[in-house]
Amino acid sequence: MSATPQRHRRARRLTLAALALTAGAGAMVAAALPAGAASGGGAGPGRTVDVQMLSFNDFHGTLEAPQGSSGSVSERQADGTTKSIPAGGVEYLATSLREARKGHEYSVTAAAGDMIGASPLLSGLFHDEPTIEAMNKLGLDVTSVGNHEFDEGKTELRRMAYGGCHPVDGCYEYGKTFTGARFPYLAANVTDEKTKRPLMSPTFIWKKGDVKIGFIGVTLEGTPDVVTAEGVKGLKFGDEVETINKYAEELNRQGVKSIVALVHEGGLPASGAYNYDCDAPGAGAGISGAIVDIAKNVDPKVDALVTGHTHQAYACTIPDPAGNPRMVTSAASYGRVFTDTTLTYDRQTKDIVRTPLSAPKPLNKVVTRDQAKAADMSELIERWNTLAAPIASRPQGFIAADIAGRGSAAFEKPLGDVIADAQLEALAPADKGGAQLAVMNPGGIRADLAYKAAGAEGDGVVTYGESYTVQPFTNMMNVVDLTGAQLITALQQQVSGPVNGANPKILQVSKGFTYTLDTTKTGADRIVVDSVKLNGAALDPAKTYRVAMNEFLAGGGDGFTVLKEHKNKLVGASDLDCFNAYLAQHATQEAPLAPPAADRITVVQ
């Protein structure tokens, strides 16, 4: 559900002293190589060869160029200002990767999870088969799983990997059976609770000639906190560091010394610009978050970490436990950016040379839209759009301007207010649950509503495809009993505890529900309890309230454990149905919906 980073990180059972014993592995080649040892020198192969690694993450089935703020990246200028650049779309991503590979005899393309899940309608309507097909075509060699690969459960994930038509919807194209991914999905830290075996392959060894590079793929240990309980039923998610170190040792025993970890967990750079130098003023100084702890503890045998989950762009050098520089990268999201990394492979040691000057620093590169579209991707999009058109093009409502959701950096998002109001309105009638308020998790808002037309529908028209892109999970709504005290605890869990303490997740709330968030304080104290009101009246801790929320939140998702304590649950319509019904009622052509004021949460800074 949520794509926000997890901060709960149990104490590492590995010590730097123990890891230092392995400092010789993944070795730093400090001494100069023999004369003529450089790649391409002499009559035969040189001692070293440069391997190009192209990587990206968090694609989320975004085949068409994304709209709104999701369809651009911020570029830092020489004078310190930033510039917005339109970016993304698989037609351009394929062209960018194919152009980047030219002139490189050794090139591998890897990803760090969330290729599918929370996808726009063009892919999501067909259970992400179009995205797997696109990844096959653009030459993806390997990816880790991410949390969103589990949105539809382990059986559906295995179908994505190995093929077969959907068990309910069947085959979508006449005479064609879905063949699955031509690249391996790695899930080293995901095991079946019954068999105790990894759900999917833990590692993959990429080979070209005499060059071998091993890949280990993991998702965040906290995946059960950000996916519905049904999606991860029967699965156990292990510690990222322990898992990576275990399989790094195993690869070494197989003779594989060059190792890359694909980690669906990430960090938060100090700047949102894709070209921000997060090594200034020192190695890894400009980045924080879970990936820093992971990078500092992963065995030096691992030569680079390709990461994701936070939808941020960064290319850092975070020292490994032996104090040696190691590359840690992430390429934003939605195919807007890719990372170009040079791995210098030593044919004699079979390891990556990690001296500071052995290779250029990894670069994040924008997938611009001023380049030619890849014809095969255009054909793929057109083919699936033809199948989706009868549903996708249906108008649902009209808006007067952009309504920011995913692209809003504010705690309270205008589109979050709209969604919460839609849920309250749908479930307020007595026979629908009698809801008095609604709360919505911010990670479930997957896009903005853009005023500018994406196709032929006209400016201001919200199509079914666009509303689906905002609410793609089709979560069933629940109306439950919670006491005022439990509601206050839920507000406090937004900004405290092992999941949200370091990275708050502010629930979007329906009209009439107001309170003050004091960011000058810490932890649960950030919620000013006396300010919490419903329709102007102070919330009574002893009183029971009927609250609407999606099933993800009702199951305690995103760290809101108190919400699992609800009583008298009634299951209602899906979140998408509630959203579309609200648009039909309140967003007409004669009176289009304007962005709400987003003034329900008073923020003290």
Side-chain angles (χ1 to χ4, degrees):
M1 288 290 304
S2 171
T4 50
Q6 298 301 299
R7 294 294 176 265
H8 73 300
R9 182 77 45 213
R10 69 171 180 261
R12 301 295 178 193
R13 291 191 280 271
L14 302 165
T15 67
L16 299 188
L19 283 176
L21 295 175
T22 64
M28 297 288 293
V29 182
L33 293 173
S39 177
R47 174 167 168 176
T48 64
V49 60
D50 284 344
V51 178
Q52 177 192 60
M53 180 172 66
L54 305 177
S55 58
F56 59 101
N57 50 276
D58 296 275
F59 184 72
H60 290 291
T62 311
L63 298 171
E64 296 179 292
Q67 288 184 282
S69 60
S70 297
S72 64
V73 295
S74 175
E75 181 180 74
R76 188 180 181 92
Q77 306 298 299
D79 62 0
T81 61
T82 57
K83 174 184 176 183
S84 181
I85 302 174
V90 78
E91 295 163 298
Y92 304 106
L93 177 61
T95 296
S96 293
L97 295 177
R98 289 164 183 170
E99 285 296 315
R101 291 176 188 135
K102 289 181 178 178
H104 293 271
E105 182 181 357
Y106 297 87
S107 183
V108 59
T109 302
D114 277 7
M115 296 297 98
I116 58 174
S119 304
L121 183 133
L122 178 59
S123 185
L125 185 64
F126 305 106
H127 298 279
D128 279 315
E129 289 182 21
T131 293
I132 298 297
E133 180 186 347
M135 295 297 105
N136 288 340
K137 286 179 179 290
L138 63 72
L140 182 60
D141 289 300
V142 59
T143 185
S144 68
V145 295
N147 55 289
H148 281 284
E149 262 80 18
F150 295 93
D151 283 349
E152 295 190 51
K154 63 182 180 182
T155 301
E156 179 65 5
L157 172 56
R158 291 178 67 84
R159 187 180 78 86
M160 290 290 100
Y162 306 122
C165 295
H166 192 270
V168 176
D169 295 344
C171 300
Y172 295 112
E173 296 182 286
Y174 180 75
K176 291 184 180 180
T177 298
F178 176 58
T179 58
R182 293 203 294 264
F183 51 89
Y185 257 116
L186 306 183
N189 67 330
V190 186
T191 54
D192 188 292
E193 289 182 341
K194 289 183 178 179
T195 67
K196 311 302 181 185
R197 296 173 61 85
L199 176 68
M200 308 182 86
S201 298
T203 63
F204 166 72
I205 301 173
W206 178 84
K207 301 177 183 178
K208 185 174 177 64
D210 61 346
V211 175
K212 292 192 297 185
I213 298 176
F215 289 87
I216 304 167
V218 299
T219 186
L220 68 154
E221 182 186 4
T223 291
D225 293 321
V226 292
V227 176
T228 59
E230 190 63 28
V232 294
K233 187 176 180 180
L235 299 175
K236 182 179 180 181
F237 293 78
D239 181 273
E240 304 95 329
V241 171
E242 292 177 4
T243 303
I244 293 169
N245 290 350
K246 170 186 173 181
Y247 285 104
E249 180 64 32
E250 184 172 304
L251 284 169
N252 266 206
R253 287 198 298 267
Q254 297 176 44
V256 179
K257 305 296 184 182
S258 300
I259 302 173
V260 175
L262 307 175
V263 187
H264 191 71
E265 177 61 291
L268 297 169
S271 167
Y274 80 90
N275 57 340
Y276 166 70
D277 182 6
C278 53
D279 278 344
I287 188 170
S288 61
I291 200 60
V292 177
D293 184 36
I294 292 172
K296 288 180 177 179
N297 286 282
V298 163
D299 196 301
K301 293 183 182 70
V302 176
D303 299 296
L305 281 73
V306 175
T307 74
H309 188 55
T310 58
H311 291 206
Q312 302 296 309
Y314 47 84
C316 295
T317 306
I318 300 176
D320 67 19
N324 300 327
R326 181 164 56 192
M327 297 173 288
V328 181
T329 66
S330 177
S333 59
Y334 308 136
R336 297 173 294 164
V337 173
F338 71 95
T339 310
D340 192 336
T341 301
T342 299
L343 302 172
T344 299
Y345 183 88
D346 186 333
R347 286 187 164 103
Q348 183 170 310
T349 65
K350 299 181 181 179
D351 206 348
I352 300 300
V353 182
R354 286 205 274 133
T355 50
L357 302 178
S358 65
K361 185 177 178 179
L363 286 178
N364 277 326
K365 299 181 177 180
V366 180
V367 177
T368 61
R369 297 183 197 163
D370 58 359
Q371 58 186 318
K373 296 180 179 180
D376 58 337
M377 295 300 174
S378 297
E379 184 278 330
L380 180 151
I381 289 172
E382 183 178 357
R383 200 176 84 244
W384 287 102
N385 259 333
T386 299
L387 290 175
I391 297 174
S393 61
R394 290 202 306 255
Q396 301 300 307
F398 299 81
I399 57 176
D402 289 353
I403 303 181
R406 187 77 180 182
S408 171
F411 288 129
E412 182 182 352
K413 306 174 191 307
L415 190 51
D417 286 0
V418 174
I419 292 170
D421 286 352
Q423 294 174 355
L424 174 61
E425 183 168 298
L427 301 169
D431 62 341
K432 301 296 184 183
Q436 296 167 273
L437 69 145
V439 293
M440 171 66 192
N441 57 305
I445 306 168
R446 304 304 303 183
D448 303 334
L449 280 183
Y451 178 79
K452 184 175 176 58
E457 73 274 12
D459 290 348
V461 179
V462 180
T463 65
Y464 184 87
E466 290 167 335
S467 64
Y468 181 100
T469 297
V470 170
Q471 293 270 266
F473 298 106
T474 317
N475 263 312
M476 301 310 294
M477 292 301 301
N478 293 178
V479 186
V480 302
D481 281 355
L482 289 171
T483 65
Q486 288 171 322
L487 277 168
I488 290 170
T489 298
L491 294 180
Q492 292 170 333
Q493 287 181 342
Q494 298 176 116
V495 291
S496 64
V499 178
N500 300 329
N503 187 59
K505 293 188 187 72
I506 304 302
L507 295 169
Q508 308 300 286
V509 296
S510 57
K511 61 184 178 182
F513 192 73
T514 59
Y515 68 94
T516 296
L517 174 66
D518 188 345
T519 62
T520 67
K521 297 181 180 178
T522 60
D525 290 339
R526 297 176 195 172
I527 303 301
V528 181
V529 173
D530 292 344
S531 72
V532 184
K533 296 180 180 180
L534 179 61
N535 299 323
L539 209 65
D540 184 346
K543 185 178 177 180
T544 296
Y545 298 87
R546 293 291 283 166
V547 186
M549 66 188 74
N550 59 44
E551 61 184 351
F552 170 70
L553 279 177
D558 271 353
F560 292 98
T561 55
V562 70
L563 298 182
K564 290 194 295 184
E565 299 172 12
H566 64 257
K567 296 179 180 179
N568 299 326
K569 180 173 78 174
L570 179 90
V571 178
S574 74
D575 52 6
L576 179 59
D577 286 344
C578 294
F579 186 44
N580 283 330
Y582 187 85
L583 291 173
Q585 185 68 29
H586 298 277
T588 64
Q589 190 167 11
E590 296 76 20
L593 184 67
D599 56 1
R600 299 165 189 180
I601 304 172
T602 300
V603 180
V604 177
Q605 295 180 319

